[in-house]
Every structure is written in C-alpha cells, then in structure tokens.
Amino acid sequence: MLILGIESSCDETAAAVVEDGARIRSSIVSSQISTHAIYGGVVPELASRMHLEAIDPVVDQALAQAGVSLDDIDGIAATQGPGLIGALLVGFSYAKALAWARNLPLAGVNHLEAHICSLQLLNPPPGFPFISLVVSGGHTNIYHVNEPGTFSLMGQTRDDAAGEAFDKVAKMMGLSYPGGPAIEALAKKGDPEKIKFPRSMIKKDNFDFSFSGLKSAVARHLHENPDMDQDMSEDRLAHVAAGFQMAVIDVLSTKLIAAARQTNCRCIGIAGGVSANRTFVDILSKRAKQHQINVFSPPLALCGDNAAMIAARGWEMIRDNQVCGLGDDVYSRVKL
C-alpha cells in the first residue's frame, strides 16, 4: 500500500511516499529556516504563506522522486495537529481536497505519534515494548509504547521544551537560529564541567521535566559576567554552551533510563528535532548500555519534521480504518 504523507505543522512543508508503513519511496522537505532566522524564531503568518507557495510543488516532487503518480496512491495522510493552526490548515486542507477528488481514504495524523513512528522506519526498529522520547522545540515527552499504535504518556515538560531552551539560550549568547546545532558545535570546544548549571527535577520521583530554571541560570550567568558580552570570547562562551548542553543531557538521560528500568523495557527510542544532537545520542547510548538498554535514533533526515513519518503513521491508521471525514478540523494542542 502506497501512502502519500503531507506535513505542514510548523516551518517545514514536506511530502513523502511510503510503502506499507516501512519503506520510504521518497521524502521531500522544503525548509523555511532562512526566512525565520532573522526573527530568531518562527513567525506563524509567514509560515502559513510559505506553505501555500510550497505545498503543490513539494507534493509533485515527492511523487516524481517515488516514480509514481496519484493514480498509484492508495491513501493520504496529513498532519492534523498539534501545531500552528494556520500552517496546519494549509497541508490538511490540501490533503482533504486531494482525498475527496481521488476518492482515497484520509488519515489525520497526530504529529507526536508520527515522530514515534519514525522509529519504525529504522532497520531494525526498536522492539516492542519500548520507551520513546519526543524532544523538539515544542515538546519534551516520554511515552511507553507497548505495541503499535498504543502510546502511554509517562512524563512531559512543565514549561519550556528542551529544543525551545536550546533556541532561547542560543539567542542569549548571540548564536544563530536554530539554536540546537549552534550550541552543540560550540560546546565541542568547551568543558562541560567548567560551569555547573542546575539539573531541574532530576531527583524527582516522576518523569516530568522543567527547563525554565536552567534557561534562567544561563541568563543570570551571562548577566553576572558582562565581560563575556564585551569580548565575546569563544572559549568562554564554549564553556557556557557545554555546561548548558550537559545539564539538558543529564536530565533527559536520567529520566529515560529510569523510565525504561521501571517498565522493564530494553529499548529507548528518541525522536524529534533534538534527536539530531549526536552528543546527546552518544552519551545516552553509553549510559543506557550499562543497564543493557539499547538506544535507537533516526537518521538526520527523519529527526526534524518530515512527511515520511506522517505517512508511516497514516498507513497504520488507514489499515485500521481510522480515517477522517471532510468535516474534520485541525487542532493546535492535544494529548496523546
């Protein structure tokens, strides 16, 4: 079964063709990073307008790369939420019109579920049951994935998401947007032990997170050391980047391993934009190995928002007859 996936929840317009929920035939992503970078974050109105411009050619490219036409497509999957309402409406409305015109089943996909399903595109994928972390600019959630399509929330951030903290700290330090890659690159030149930032909620008997205090601690450190702003010494800023990054990694790793041990899971899967941070993946893998736990993370192309993961989740939904009607709408927030 060939599923055409469409993603437009934030600042990437994406389309992909996936076969039987596991084989990626094509995956096209049109990024808006360069447009939003000058503002230091995503501007919703601009994002919506750019989705309108990109959606048709991106779908055409995905079909061409897969070597198929719309006549070969068996179903359509599109992100229904959560995300920016204006951005979501572009992709979901396009998908509804296409499904109606072609008399095809339509799956309205939860973006977070799709990130978890990106792990099923790996070869091999993590075995069920497993613990999954969805970590991005908008989410930092831990799920127990007992079987395909079954997700149980174990913990989530109470304030800033990890990716949001990376972006905001990078902005404080005068680094480029998005902040994650910039901080990781600079942190490689610093000593993570040089500056000890707080590990919020690391000892709490739950799997929730809080990164606002860590963000404030970095801001306070920069304010109390104004000479860092004056000479912008790369070495000194590198220590800040390394210390901040290690604080995030320590909290995420500790909570994930604890969740896996509590549920007797031998696999941890991480997905979402922050899973592109290879320092995090490497450290988590080494620490998890000490407990005989394996870590799975998607390749870089599947870390950020993409339509292949939407198609993979959509294939499961269409297979199980979980389809949308033309009257269904998008949503900005939802719990898994």
Side-chain angles (χ1 to χ4, degrees):
M1 182 189 293
L2 291 180
I3 302 297
L4 171 64
I6 295 172
E7 152 65 17
S8 67
S9 64
C10 191
D11 60 342
E12 274 92 18
T13 312
V17 176
V18 172
E19 184 176 357
D20 295 334
R23 182 187 170 207
I24 300 175
R25 295 279 294 269
S26 67
S27 182
I28 303 296
V29 178
S30 175
S31 176
Q32 302 175 8
I33 285 179
S34 59
T35 299
H36 299 289
I38 59 175
Y39 303 103
V42 178
V43 181
E45 176 65 19
L46 282 178
S48 302
R49 291 177 181 275
M50 294 188 73
H51 284 308
L52 281 170
E53 295 174 2
I55 186 72
D56 209 32
V58 163
V59 170
D60 288 344
Q61 289 177 54
L63 293 170
Q65 188 181 82
V68 300
S69 70
L70 283 173
D71 293 334
D72 302 306
I73 298 300
D74 299 298
I76 298 174
T79 308
Q80 190 173 3
L84 303 175
I85 288 295
L88 286 165
L89 279 170
V90 175
F92 195 62
S93 299
Y94 184 96
K96 284 200 292 186
L98 203 56
W100 177 81
R102 291 282 170 166
N103 194 29
L104 293 171
L106 171 67
V109 175
N110 181 299
H111 186 80
L112 304 185
E113 294 179 2
H115 269 302
I116 297 173
C117 281
S118 70
L119 297 166
Q120 298 306 307
L121 295 169
L122 302 180
N123 187 19
F128 294 97
F130 65 91
I131 294 298
S132 180
L133 172 72
V134 179
V135 57
S136 64
H139 308 281
T140 306
N141 300 356
I142 294 180
Y143 298 97
H144 181 220
V145 187
N146 194 50
E147 59 186 20
T150 303
F151 315 94
S152 300
L153 180 66
M154 295 184 69
Q156 61 188 329
T157 182
R158 296 185 179 182
D159 39 60
D160 293 350
E164 182 183 3
F166 269 97
D167 286 339
K168 289 180 177 178
V169 167
K171 190 172 184 179
M172 293 176 199
M173 297 170 64
L175 303 178
S176 61
Y177 173 85
I183 285 182
E184 184 183 16
L186 183 57
K188 291 178 180 178
K189 303 173 185 177
D191 180 356
E193 301 299 321
K194 195 81 172 179
I195 305 171
K196 276 287 188 179
F197 290 116
R199 272 70 168 158
S200 301
M201 299 186 70
I202 195 169
K203 294 182 179 179
K204 292 286 185 180
D205 189 23
N206 59 48
F207 301 108
D208 287 343
F209 303 95
S210 173
F211 295 106
S212 62
L214 171 60
K215 181 188 66 179
S216 298
V218 175
R220 191 160 50 249
H221 179 85
L222 294 173
H223 178 72
E224 292 172 354
N225 294 271
D227 55 318
M228 294 182 67
D229 291 329
Q230 293 170 8
D231 61 25
M232 279 297 172
S233 167
E234 186 176 71
D235 288 341
R236 298 185 66 183
L237 285 176
H239 296 322
V240 176
F244 163 76
Q245 178 176 258
M246 188 54 67
V248 175
I249 290 173
D250 280 348
V251 173
L252 293 177
S253 299
T254 299
K255 298 273 187 177
L256 279 170
I257 293 171
R261 296 185 69 188
Q262 178 175 299
T263 54
N264 295 315
C265 289
R266 308 319 313 167
C267 299
I268 292 173
I270 55 174
V274 180
S275 65
N277 186 307
R278 303 327 289 178
T279 305
F280 168 42
V281 175
D282 291 344
I283 291 175
L284 173 61
S285 298
K286 290 175 182 176
R287 293 179 180 179
K289 191 175 182 180
Q290 297 173 3
H291 301 278
Q292 292 76 53
I293 299 170
N294 295 316
V295 173
F296 295 78
S297 64
L300 187 60
L302 295 178
C303 289
D305 293 345
N306 65 88
M309 67 182 192
I310 302 300
R313 177 60 181 143
W315 174 80
E316 292 180 345
M317 296 175 71
I318 291 172
R319 178 197 62 190
D320 298 335
N321 200 33
Q322 299 174 16
V323 295
C324 280
L326 293 179
D328 290 346
D329 204 354
V330 297
Y331 48 82
S332 61
R333 294 179 181 274
V334 70
K335 292 182 179 180
L336 231 60

